[in-house]
Amino acid sequence: MHKSEKLTTKAFGFFILIAAAVFVIMLMLFTINKLAPVTKSRIEDCNSRITDFNASLEQYEKEGLDENNENVKFAKGRVELYTNRIKMLENREKSYTLSMAFVVCILTVAAAFQYIKTATFRRRSIYTSEEEICGYYYPKISALLAAFGILMAIGITYRTIFSIELFDLLMLVGAVFVGFVFFLIYRRAPYIEAKLKKRRLKKFKKITMADILFFLPVVGVLMLLAVNVLFGVEYNGSMLWISIGGTTIQPGEFVKVLLIILFASSYGKMWRAVVSVFTAGAAFLVLLYLKDLGTGLVIFAMVIVLLLLQLDNKMSFSIFENRKLVILLMVLAVCFFVVAMALFPHARERIENVGNAMENTERQQAEMLRALIFGGLGGLGLENSNYIINIFSINSDMAIAGLTAVFGVGMLLIVLLCYSVIIVVPVRKYSLHRQFYFAASQVSIVLVVQVILNALGSVDVLPFTGIVAPFISDGGSALVSFCAMIGIVLATLHPQIKSLEVSGR
Amino acid sequence: MKYSITEKSKKDDEKIVRISLSDDATPSYVSGSKKKRRRRESVKREWKFVILALVLILSIIMGSVIRVNNAVDYITYDDIKGFNNLSAVITDRFDQLIYEDGSVNNYKIFGNLIGQGESIENSLINKHSDKLMSDDINPLLGYRSLETESRIMKTTLLSEESQQELADLFKKKNGCCFAYNYETGEVYTAFSLPQFNPNQQNSEYINRCLNSVYIPGSTMKIITSILAVAQGKENKKYKCEGSYTLSSGKVIDCTGYHGKISFTEAIGKSCNCYFAQLIMSLDLDESLELLNQLGFSVNNKKLPTVKMDELSRKNSAVEMTNLSSFNNIWGLIGQGKSRVNPIHMAQVAAAVVNGGKAAEPHFITSITNPNKTKPEKQIIHTATTKYTEFMSPELAEDTAEYWKKAVDNHYDLKGMSDRITYAKTGTAQVEINGRLRENKLLLGVIESSKTAFYIVVENSSSAPQIFSIANKLSELLPTN
Ligand SMILES: [Zn+2]
């Protein structure tokens, strides 16, 4: 690689990150400019509601109803709700600006790191030259980070339409931190595995420490599911939430991350693949029982991809002489899926409901379709965004369609392109370490399924599965788990791994 | 952390690294042509993922666009109103508002004619929603191209107060009142009681002028008279002895003992015995043909739905298979299986008076869109007068002459205004909840204002009441 070429590729990675940062800033300025009148009208609306409820409270007092009366409780609750909402709306711009600034920071820091880190890498890794780092890894990592940043920024902007608080910013920082930790740890995963392979248990010589490490995610998945089943809080007709100290978390989201790690470390060993598939099967059943059809579908797709990868001969990591067993597992998985779908009535009902949303005008998909029609290709615009704020679960399960309804098809295209970058870049070329390729492909399939189900489920093309849009939807658990996935993907793209792979052979 | 590599293998490993960078999946030991082929495959494979991503993007966008496009058909007037907060306004013939803010809440008397969104299917709002809202959906801008000023539907109806005055005269009885100008087709009133109340569950959604048929009572005798005049059977006198026994042994009762009476007398006194004998003298085929021409559905024959300003009305129906059978005679006298629609009856009466033809009723004068700048583009819909020919002018003239004579000389119309030039009352026996009740009906024409009307007061046999409604109507009509 020539020096000029090196500079171009280096500059490509750098500029792509800076361009993303500029996009985020522009989006922020645009939004703040448009949001003010909407905020004003919503505050007025809340105030009038508070006046109404206060009036009826006075009425109740005259009637002599006491504190425990249902109507009194309801009215009081509503007054509190709208007071809080006004507080949120008054601070909305501040929270929004800070959150967006945080994303801009990530992007600029990443851009700056290109220059700092190149030097460090050159010193550290013996076999990877600066040219390779700049030409091969940095454009990939930069594209990935830029897409991630843009999606996060669009997500923040979208969620701001409904509600944003400083707590959401904290959640954002926390999620990014978790992602970074995952990146730091996971990039050493093959190394740790290789090291632990050599250590064996004293009593059972056959079992290595690596095998015990392999079972950690299995135990984690089963524990999360058990906790969910035992302590699940019913909400919106499904029991996907557990309540911990005032906030709720969704264990199902973390199950996905653990399964990715589990599937990735099952590369190369048949018994591990079998254990993984059965763990996934258990998770699938439990999630379907908890009425989480969406996550169930994601896990099913993950299993299929895992098995497909095991079949791929060309990849040179298909160590299975017994291809029949893999095919049998795949057939079993499909049968299992079909039977499970047939057994759970709520799943069947959702599938049967596809395509007739407009006949039942009350359904949220019908409301969404109307918003899309009224918005046209250009979208409703922020100034008309009040039209959709009351659609049920608009900021989570309907996020991609809602985003399109507000900002138009152009924004949908940007979002889908960003998703495509995150989905395609890590798996386009085989990364050198097989475990990493497995991990990256699992992350990709999770994103693919979630994006398709979220985008098309909310416009009545596919069954509505109540699945969130990665990086965009509201919900801390999902945000944390997707940041963790980004961390994993970045780890698979990390140049240091090259030397690891070499020593592993 | 340091990754230790032994010095010995360093050279070989570096080789692997270099090869892997350019062609990841190819191990170093693969050589020559095989290597080249694998490289080609690898390149193909890389593009496969890009193509898959494009397919993903396209399928999501196309899927959404197609689904949204299909959903456009389901968008209703209410949906657009909900989005735009702008509803059309409807005015009476004097430009007074009778519908605004998407509600007939305060204008109940018009309720089940004007409608409320989709809740009343056969209503002006529902049938003309495409003209009352912006239907030029801009695929680029969506409905942001929506209008800022309400579209205006001007109707031919009398003012709300006038109609309420008429409704008050029903004294809480159910029924309906239809009146229209048979020269222009303008409908003056078409209200129906009970009124539509959107705030009430199980409210009355049916407008009886449009959607109901009644047993006609003696108002049917006008139709029978037309048949008789057409066949030249009106000159014979018949004897009435208070009742008439058919050859089958069944008896037709009369309202009184009338003796030997003429055709005009029989109309005036509404003599059942006379009409029974008259009907038996009629020719079946000729009668069938004329009834058909008059717009009746004979013997359950399916007729095309009659539409006025997109509103459909029910068809009147008679049964006629054998003119000497009790059922058919009884039907043509106005009981039995005959059913008439108020609007249809008013039209036929108008045709009799108006030389055989009558204008088709219409409710809307114009629909305008004030959002357009050019005046000629503002007009979306204007009324056109169309005529229906029910009978020949000669037949109409002759029948009208007899009817007029009957009204002037033989009819007991105490309490009826002089303005009403033609009238025929009727009393129909109906069974409501197992109890025999009477409906009072009145068919009439007010020549001075070119108006034909049909009034039904249910569960009432009071002639003065129905006359008072007709009198009030005649006062309220605009005079030409
Ligand atoms: Zn008689």
Side-chain angles (χ1 to χ4, degrees), chain B residues 57-307:
Chain B
I57 293 175
L58 269 180
S59 59
I60 287 176
I61 291 182
M62 290 311 291
S64 310
V65 166
I66 290 169
R67 184 68 186 91
V68 166
N69 211 29
N70 286 340
V72 169
D73 298 341
Y74 289 87
I75 292 289
T76 61
Y77 179 72
D78 283 356
D79 294 335
I80 294 178
K81 216 175 64 207
F83 176 69
N84 200 33
N85 284 324
L86 185 78
S87 87
V89 295
I90 300 182
T91 70
D92 61 17
R93 61 185 295 116
F94 310 108
D95 289 324
Q96 296 295 309
L97 285 181
I98 55 176
Y99 174 98
E100 61 180 331
D101 296 334
S103 170
V104 284
N105 235 345
N106 305 316
Y107 312 101
K108 285 177 222 158
I109 193 65
F110 296 104
N112 37 32
L113 176 65
I114 286 177
Q116 174 116 325
E118 290 165 277
S119 59
I120 301 176
E121 202 272 327
N122 195 21
S123 66
L124 287 174
I125 284 277
N126 199 41
K127 295 284 186 184
H128 295 271
S129 58
D130 55 331
K131 300 190 197 80
L132 293 174
M133 67 188 188
S134 165
D135 56 351
D136 42 341
I137 307 168
N138 188 329
L140 293 171
L141 296 174
Y143 269 102
R144 263 190 300 182
S145 53
L146 271 185
E147 294 150 359
T148 48
E149 276 187 70
S150 297
R151 294 192 182 190
I152 303 159
M153 179 197 270
K154 183 176 176 176
T155 64
T156 58
L157 298 168
L158 296 176
S159 72
E160 190 217 345
E161 292 81 12
S162 307
Q163 303 210 42
Q164 190 61 55
E165 271 182 68
L166 287 173
D168 289 343
L169 291 172
F170 276 71
K171 296 190 178 136
K172 307 223 163 123
K173 294 256 161 72
N174 293 345
C176 67
C177 173
F178 176 80
Y180 93 114
N181 185 314
Y182 50 79
E183 276 203 335
T184 61
E186 290 173 3
V187 174
Y188 294 125
T189 181
F191 71 78
S192 166
L193 298 168
Q195 297 171 339
F196 166 65
N197 185 348
N199 300 324
Q200 200 178 305
Q201 273 196 328
N202 306 322
S203 178
E204 182 73 28
Y205 290 127
I206 299 259
N207 184 303
R208 297 172 185 217
C209 294
L210 294 166
N211 306 309
S212 290
V213 282
Y214 286 97
I215 299 175
S218 293
T219 59
M220 189 68 189
K221 288 189 178 124
I222 294 300
I223 309 294
T224 314
S225 301
I226 298 169
L227 299 181
V229 174
Q231 293 169 32
K233 301 282 166 69
E234 78 276 17
N235 297 321
K236 217 172 161 190
K237 287 189 172 185
Y238 293 106
K239 205 172 172 191
C240 165
E241 290 169 329
S243 67
Y244 182 80
T245 313
L246 297 174
S247 53
S248 60
K250 291 196 172 168
V251 178
I252 285 172
D253 285 321
C254 194
T255 47
Y257 180 89
H258 298 112
K260 198 164 191 179
I261 53 170
S262 69
F263 182 56
T264 38
E265 269 181 290
I267 298 174
K269 298 197 162 121
S270 211
C271 178
N272 288 349
C273 297
Y274 181 93
F275 269 91
Q277 294 165 76
L278 178 71
I279 290 161
M280 285 199 291
S281 75
L282 292 177
D283 178 73
L284 178 67
D285 291 337
E286 271 184 62
S287 303
L288 282 174
E289 198 182 319
L290 187 54
L291 276 174
N292 233 335
Q293 200 186 334
L294 289 174
F296 281 84
S297 150
V298 191
N299 299 332
N300 296 323
K301 191 180 152 198
K302 212 115 174 89
L303 293 182
T305 320
V306 185
K307 292 207 169 169

Side-chain angles (χ1 to χ4, degrees), chain B residues 304-328:
Chain B
T305 320
V306 185
K307 292 207 169 169
M308 311 155 290
D309 276 336
E310 311 286 329
L311 296 181
S312 56
R313 72 154 168 80
K314 281 222 166 148
N315 279 310
S316 306
V318 286
E319 208 168 86
M320 190 189 277
T321 45
N322 172 9
L323 282 174
S324 52
S325 82
F326 172 81
N327 277 341
N328 287 181

Side-chain angles (χ1 to χ4, degrees), chain A residues 132 359 374 430 437 460 502, chain B residues 13 18 21 45 67 74:
Chain A
E132 282 159 0
E359 276 87 33
F374 291 140
Y430 292 128
Y437 192 78
D460 197 33
V502 172
Chain B
D13 289 338
R18 296 232 169 256
L21 266 177
R45 187 182 168 280
R67 184 68 186 91
Y74 289 87

Side-chain angles (χ1 to χ4, degrees), chain A residues 127 132 191 358-359 370 374 377-379 413 420 424 428-430 432 437 452 459-460 496 498 502-503, chain B residues 1 3 5 10 13 17-18 20-21 24-25 45-46 53 56-57 61 67 74 79 139-140 143-144:
Chain A
Y127 301 106
E132 282 159 0
Y191 177 77
M358 289 311 277
E359 276 87 33
R370 282 201 288 274
F374 291 140
L377 290 183
L413 199 63
S420 302
V424 169
R428 208 166 85 91
K429 289 188 175 184
Y430 292 128
L432 286 169
Y437 192 78
I452 290 181
V459 292
D460 197 33
Q496 284 184 3
K498 196 160 294 292
V502 172
S503 67
Chain B
M1 180 163 300
Y3 307 116
I5 308 291
K10 190 174 163 184
D13 289 338
V17 170
R18 296 232 169 256
S20 305
L21 266 177
D24 304 276
R45 187 182 168 280
E46 284 167 26
L56 171 81
I57 293 175
I61 291 182
R67 184 68 186 91
Y74 289 87
D79 294 335
L140 293 171
Y143 269 102
R144 263 190 300 182

Side-chain angles (χ1 to χ4, degrees), chain B residues 432-446:
Chain B
I432 301 170
N433 300 332
R435 289 166 73 180
L436 219 56
R437 304 271 188 191
E438 281 186 338
N439 287 348
K440 198 78 189 164
L441 311 100
L442 178 61
L443 172 66
V445 175
I446 302 165

